[in-house]
Amino acid sequence: MQTRLAVYNFGMFREPADSAVNQGFRDLETPNFLAAERAVGFVGRAGYAGEPGQPSWGEQVYPRFYVERGDGGSPSTLSLWQSLECLFAFAYSGIHAQAIRRASDWLVEKRWPAYVLWWAEGIPDWPQAVARFERLHDRGPSPEAFNFKTPFDQHGAVAAIDRKAMRRLAHANQRRRESL
């Protein structure tokens, strides 16, 4: 079975999801998903139960930091990538980087990690992702739950992100966007 880089991210809106304050987030959500799907190294992402499109990877759950505000959910994603560099190139360039810069417009200040990474065999589910997320928060980076500041390779060794490869991938993603 092939090992892929899994990423789970979680945020919590300041206001209920359908609030006008969050319109900018909603406007960027579909373009972000499309940009990810077109990015070099993207493998797949979990959808959300009851919504058209991608199937959900198990029952969607949230970390213990989640506070229900009457809208039944919070911004979170779960996806698979071929490498650290592929994910990094997508996450920190293009439309996703624009969304990250505006996150404080919509989301509460985090007292938890923004995301967690791990090497997965097969397709992870939401409960596994949340467990890894909470593990990163509670214990810090390890081969089982890490971030870009302290990455690990597929064998559990501390890794380094190949910045030259990441820049090439970011340029390739930009060319893909421009060709559409």
Side-chain angles (χ1 to χ4, degrees):
M1 187 171 290
Q2 192 167 15
T3 303
R4 301 286 172 72
L5 182 68
V7 58
Y8 168 78
N9 72 316
F10 168 77
M12 201 163 49
F13 285 128
R14 290 181 186 189
E15 302 291 329
D18 61 356
S19 170
V21 171
N22 297 323
Q23 187 61 47
F25 180 92
R26 290 190 300 274
D27 290 346
L28 291 173
E29 188 172 35
T30 297
N32 259 301
F33 285 151
L34 292 173
E37 291 167 6
R38 293 178 182 134
V40 177
F42 174 80
V43 176
R45 73 172 176 86
Y48 307 101
E51 291 187 14
Q54 305 291 327
S56 183
W57 296 349
E59 178 185 350
Q60 189 175 12
V61 296
Y62 298 102
R64 66 178 181 264
F65 315 108
Y66 173 65
V67 176
E68 172 58 47
R69 296 206 164 115
D71 49 13
S74 208
S76 61
T77 61
L78 174 57
S79 60
L80 289 170
W81 295 79
Q82 291 177 353
S83 71
L84 287 162
E85 290 80 9
C86 290
L87 175 58
F88 196 99
F90 164 72
Y92 295 105
S93 64
I95 192 166
H96 193 267
Q98 293 172 21
I100 289 172
R101 286 191 294 274
R102 294 199 50 210
S104 64
D105 293 347
W106 313 301
L107 305 176
V108 299
E109 185 176 342
K110 294 178 174 87
R111 298 177 309 278
W112 52 80
Y115 63 92
V116 64
L117 307 172
W118 72 99
W119 294 100
E121 290 187 7
I123 298 176
D125 64 24
W126 292 102
Q128 292 167 345
V130 166
R132 298 224 186 216
F133 185 82
E134 290 180 353
R135 181 184 182 118
L136 176 62
H137 175 268
D138 296 344
R139 300 180 190 166
S142 70
E144 293 78 28
F146 55 92
N147 55 30
F148 284 122
K149 291 180 183 176
T150 309
F152 289 83
D153 68 17
Q154 297 172 0
H155 307 289
V158 174
I161 295 172
D162 181 337
R163 300 291 177 162
K164 286 183 182 179
M166 185 277 306
R167 284 191 289 278
R168 283 192 305 273
L169 291 162
H171 289 298
N173 289 342
Q174 181 178 349
R175 286 191 302 275
R176 285 179 173 205
R177 287 189 301 271
E178 291 169 355
S179 71
L180 297 176

